Amino acid sequence: MAKLLKLMQNEWMKLWYKKGTWVMVGILVIITAGMMGLMKWISMQENMGGNFTREGMVQDPSSLGGTVLLLTVIVAAGIVASEFSQGTIKMLLTRPVKRWKILLSKFITVNLFGMFLMLIGYIVYILLALLLFKSGPDAGLSSWTVWSKSLYMLLLSFGNVFITTTFAFTIGSVFRSSSLAIGLSLFIYFTGSTISALLSRYEIAKYLLFTHMDLTQFETGMMLIPDLTMPFSLAVLAVYIIVFLVISFTTFVKRDVTA
């Protein structure tokens, strides 16, 4: 455990040593602020201030998931692939640490980074919701319902981040190509729901990864397939995650990097 924690610490430090990581945080803040400002502008232009209440905004921060996903995928795709492209993989594997621990430390670091981005985005989102929008007539921010719903939606939206970054991590580690991993991950993210909708009349749609990635559908009611349930979706996602990780770890452990 101590060696794993040390590896994670090293990966975390390597990640934040890169200027691109700080740029990602800045991009997240800018996009979140811009999104909130746009919604405020729309409400003012259409005189719909009553539909965009402070409590309503706080209760649904799921829009953060898309931005965090796009940024985290970049890190997930390159955290292993870059070791090969930069030629540092041999040095990394000369350490007296089992390969699976090295890969696990990278996988955990990627997801911790995603969680960190989600937290930063959530803080900015909440602050702007409180600043830009007015309270509804029959609601209050002191209500436990408001904040519990907010955190629950945040958790559900992170599910999509976790699934997509796990896929990107797998492709990047297996094929050693960050561009391929990013491209395929974004393809799944942007077209997956469309594919599931087109195949919704067939039984196979229930077992496609795309159908279950957006867990917020169970709260919003915008279901890709009407008879889906949360437990079934979680079970299907668990199978895919296990398959992805088995492929990643098996390939990484057995790969010959001596040449």
Side-chain angles (χ1 to χ4, degrees), residues 77-90:
I79 197 167
V80 175
S82 62
E83 299 282 5
F84 288 93
S85 62
Q86 296 171 8
T88 56
I89 188 64
K90 294 181 182 179

Side-chain angles (χ1 to χ4, degrees), residues 94-128:
T94 56
R95 297 181 180 181
V97 182
K98 293 182 178 180
R99 288 190 179 191
W100 70 265
K101 287 187 178 181
I102 294 175
L103 192 62
L104 180 60
S105 68
K106 290 180 176 293
F107 180 69
I108 294 175
T109 299
V110 165
N111 286 288
L112 287 176
F113 178 68
M115 293 178 191
F116 179 76
L117 289 185
M118 208 73 172
L119 176 61
I120 294 298
Y122 184 65
I123 292 173
V124 174
Y125 179 91
I126 293 298
L127 289 176
L128 289 175

Side-chain angles (χ1 to χ4, degrees), residues 20-255:
T21 303
W22 295 96
V23 172
M24 288 182 188
V25 175
I27 290 174
L28 174 63
V29 172
I30 292 172
I31 290 179
T32 303
M35 175 182 64
M36 296 295 283
L38 178 62
M39 295 187 71
K40 177 63 177 179
W41 180 80
I42 292 174
S43 67
M44 293 176 62
Q45 291 295 314
E46 300 185 5
N47 195 27
M48 295 171 58
N51 291 334
F52 290 92
T53 65
R54 183 178 295 171
E55 292 78 14
M57 298 298 297
V58 168
Q59 286 186 85
D60 189 11
S62 59
S63 55
L64 290 171
T67 307
V68 172
L69 183 148
L70 296 176
L71 297 175
T72 311
V73 157
I74 296 174
V75 175
I79 197 167
V80 175
S82 62
E83 299 282 5
F84 288 93
S85 62
Q86 296 171 8
T88 56
I89 188 64
K90 294 181 182 179
M91 183 182 300
L92 181 65
L93 296 182
T94 56
R95 297 181 180 181
V97 182
K98 293 182 178 180
R99 288 190 179 191
W100 70 265
K101 287 187 178 181
I102 294 175
L103 192 62
L104 180 60
S105 68
K106 290 180 176 293
F107 180 69
I108 294 175
T109 299
V110 165
N111 286 288
L112 287 176
F113 178 68
M115 293 178 191
F116 179 76
L117 289 185
M118 208 73 172
L119 176 61
I120 294 298
Y122 184 65
I123 292 173
V124 174
Y125 179 91
I126 293 298
L127 289 176
L128 289 175
L130 299 179
L131 178 66
L132 297 177
F133 299 92
K134 298 179 180 179
S135 263
D138 301 319
L141 282 174
S142 60
S143 170
W144 166 248
T145 302
V146 172
W147 291 103
S148 60
K149 178 66 176 299
S150 178
L151 294 175
Y152 183 57
M153 291 297 291
L154 190 71
L155 177 63
L156 292 181
S157 61
F158 184 74
N160 201 352
V161 177
F162 180 73
I163 298 299
T164 310
T165 53
T166 300
F167 176 77
F169 181 84
T170 299
I171 299 299
S173 61
V174 171
F175 295 99
R176 295 176 289 181
S177 172
S178 58
S179 58
L180 177 63
I182 293 172
L184 289 177
S185 299
L186 295 186
F187 174 79
I188 287 177
Y189 176 66
F190 287 113
T191 66
S193 59
T194 302
I195 294 173
S196 293
L198 292 174
L199 297 176
S200 60
R201 69 180 68 180
Y202 303 105
E203 185 70 15
I204 192 176
K206 293 183 179 180
Y207 304 98
L208 295 176
L209 174 64
F210 325 125
T211 305
H212 308 278
M213 290 172 64
D214 183 13
L215 295 175
T216 62
Q217 63 181 308
F218 296 104
E219 286 296 313
T220 62
M222 300 175 65
M223 308 287 292
L224 290 173
I225 298 178
D227 57 345
L228 282 183
T229 64
M230 176 77 80
F232 180 76
S233 287
L234 292 176
V236 172
L237 291 175
V239 171
Y240 275 103
I241 290 171
I242 292 172
V243 171
F244 291 155
L245 294 180
V246 167
I247 293 173
S248 297
F249 280 82
T250 302
T251 304
F252 189 79
V253 169
K254 295 184 176 181
R255 172 172 283 141

